[in-house]
Amino acid sequence: MQNHAYSRLGGSGPGAAVPSPPSSPRRPWGRRSSAKGGGWSARAGAGAARRAARTVLAALLRRQAVFLFAPLLYVAAMLLYMGSISLDSVPRIISRPAPGSMYRSPQLYARLRADMDADNSTDALTTVWRHAYKGGIWRPCISNNTNGLPESNGYIYVEANGGLNQQRTSICNAVAVAGFLNATLVIPNFHYHSIWMDPSKFGDIYDEDHFIQRLKNDVRVVDKVPEFIMERFGHNLSNAFNFKIKAWSPIQFYEDVVLPKLIEERLIRISPFANRLSFDAPPAVQRLRCLANFEALKFSKPITALSDTLVSRMREKSAENNGKYVAVHLRFEEDMVAFSCCVFDGGDNEKKELDAAREKGWRGKFTRPGRVIRPGAIRMNGKCPLTPLEVGLMLRGMGFSNNTAIYLASGRIYKAEKNMAPLLEMFPLLQTKETLASNEELSPFKNFSSRMAAIDYTVCVHSEVFVTTQGGNFPHFLIGHRRYLYGGHAKTIKPDKRRLAILFDSPRIGWRSLKRQLFNMRAHSDAKGIEIKRANESVYTFPCPDCMCRSNKSEHSKSIQAR
């Protein structure tokens, strides 16, 4: 009884019962007064909408095949709609050619010519090279060697291939390798090339006596292999051991692989020998390259005599500018135009001519299965050769007036009569070796492409400004040679051809805008012209004294001689 009473009072004794939890409050559906907003009716409506949506979704899921017919129903509806509209009211879709796929420079020239002719006040020759060399007092990278030459380890005979400047690379590399190995260099033989078709020998292009004399303190050079050596090979150089050396091989390869065979055989051949030595080399090797290129290689007396005459005549033609003239290296020969795969006038005759030239020079290279050629992309990537018209537009935009004397270094221009006309309109004082020299003066050189290129090379070296329009050995050698002669300055305009492609493809650009952007391009070339040699750059382009004048040749010679 007591326990029962204690449980009723909520006691906690041993026999106490656990109280039950309170019941959940009932949701007052429908019990709220209408004064509180009629919430019941709104909730009822939302619930009905959800139930209807669930019912429709369930029906669709049970009929999944309906989704397969939805695209067909959409297409059918669109066809019915289009059938009810007159075709005359449908807007026309204008198809525009891809950027660069059309050669628009003639239209640009025609549109801007009046403004160009009216703007002839500036003269870039007075301002084209305002930046001074800021690397200190520039000095040539060649120092004279006063040490005697050790006993020769043997004779090296090389066959230089390619055109004039590729052969020049081979000669300089051969001098460097022979000096590094304490070998005697035989005057290089020039390999006859099917493209250049020039049978000239070393002495036809270069002064052989000057070459031997200038190198006598650094490298032994002979014009032929001695008889006692030739007897060992049956008086036939083809019997001598011939090295097949990979392109851009390091100088260490010559010391490790070529030198032991040279000592054993006393005479070795290296054929072919173009670009067979890497640009990255010790100072002693770079010094010999410099010595050969800038001092020992002097053009033969007939070439030098005519070249000097043409330089004098160019200075006379540019008397209004104190004898200063601009030299332009233009690569617009048929083989260059064909190889580029670019489209110019776009006519059927051009296509037939260039297709035939490609097949003749590079049989099957451009027609093999799977090869896709996109002329527009080639032009926008800056790979198309600049035409004479584009060169004229560029130079006039850079501030060169129409009384600037220009020397054009080039081979036979593709469709010269048509393509040269606008350039001559813009620069009436333009000259070539053919216009400066008489037929009698040029006749000894006309059938020899390398000798003609040597004349162009010399006239370009002595110009106030050199303009390059395409890559290759010719401009690279010239840029370096001009740096070497003019206190570290290249004085070169090397345009951004990708930027030019955009400018010349613009249908709305005005003369002032074009000129402003070309001025900036010229200023960029100005600043780039005083750069020093960077890693792995060609010593022929960057004859940098800081990189090459510290020669350890005497110490190296002792180590080679000891082997």
Side-chain angles (χ1 to χ4, degrees), residues 59 175 490:
V175 169

Side-chain angles (χ1 to χ4, degrees), residues 28-235:
W29 294 106
R31 293 183 183 178
R32 294 182 181 179
S33 63
S34 60
K36 293 186 177 181
W40 183 87
S41 61
R43 290 177 182 272
R50 283 195 294 270
R51 286 193 297 273
R54 284 197 294 269
T55 301
V56 172
L57 182 61
L60 289 174
L61 290 174
R62 287 194 298 270
R63 300 286 188 273
Q64 293 181 9
V66 172
F67 291 109
L68 298 177
F69 292 98
L72 296 177
L73 293 173
Y74 175 77
V75 172
M78 290 300 297
L79 290 175
L80 288 173
Y81 173 72
M82 294 299 293
S84 64
I85 300 176
S86 172
L87 293 177
D88 295 335
S89 62
V90 176
R92 289 184 3 180
I93 299 175
I94 301 175
S95 176
R96 296 188 181 277
S101 59
M102 294 181 63
Y103 172 52
R104 301 179 186 274
S105 299
Q107 292 86 349
L108 180 67
Y109 172 55
R111 185 165 57 82
L112 299 182
R113 184 176 177 184
D115 293 334
M116 180 193 304
D117 291 341
D119 181 16
N120 199 40
S121 57
T122 57
D123 185 7
L125 278 173
T126 61
T127 60
V128 72
W129 210 256
R130 294 181 296 179
H131 287 279
Y133 181 69
K134 299 178 181 178
I137 299 175
W138 194 92
R139 58 193 176 90
C141 61
I142 297 169
S143 56
N144 292 324
N145 180 34
T146 57
N147 301 316
L149 292 175
E151 182 180 352
S152 174
N153 287 320
Y155 293 83
I156 294 179
Y157 175 81
V158 303
E159 291 187 358
N161 58 318
L164 174 71
N165 295 286
Q166 196 169 0
Q167 290 171 347
R168 193 179 186 106
T169 304
S170 301
I171 296 166
C172 298
N173 288 344
V175 169
V177 169
F180 190 79
L181 300 182
N182 285 328
T184 300
L185 177 67
V186 183
I187 289 288
N189 180 53
F190 290 167
H191 179 70
Y192 181 81
H193 199 282
S194 58
I195 293 180
W196 286 275
M197 295 185 292
D198 189 339
S200 298
K201 303 301 181 185
F202 186 97
D204 297 324
I205 301 174
Y206 299 105
D207 188 331
E208 193 171 298
D209 293 336
H210 176 81
F211 183 74
I212 295 173
Q213 183 67 22
R214 186 63 183 85
L215 294 173
K216 68 178 183 179
N217 293 328
D218 298 270
V219 182
R220 289 186 180 89
V221 182
V222 296
D223 58 353
K224 61 181 180 179
V225 181
E227 280 294 317
F228 73 94
I229 295 290
M230 290 297 295
E231 287 177 0
R232 294 183 55 195
F233 300 97
H235 295 277

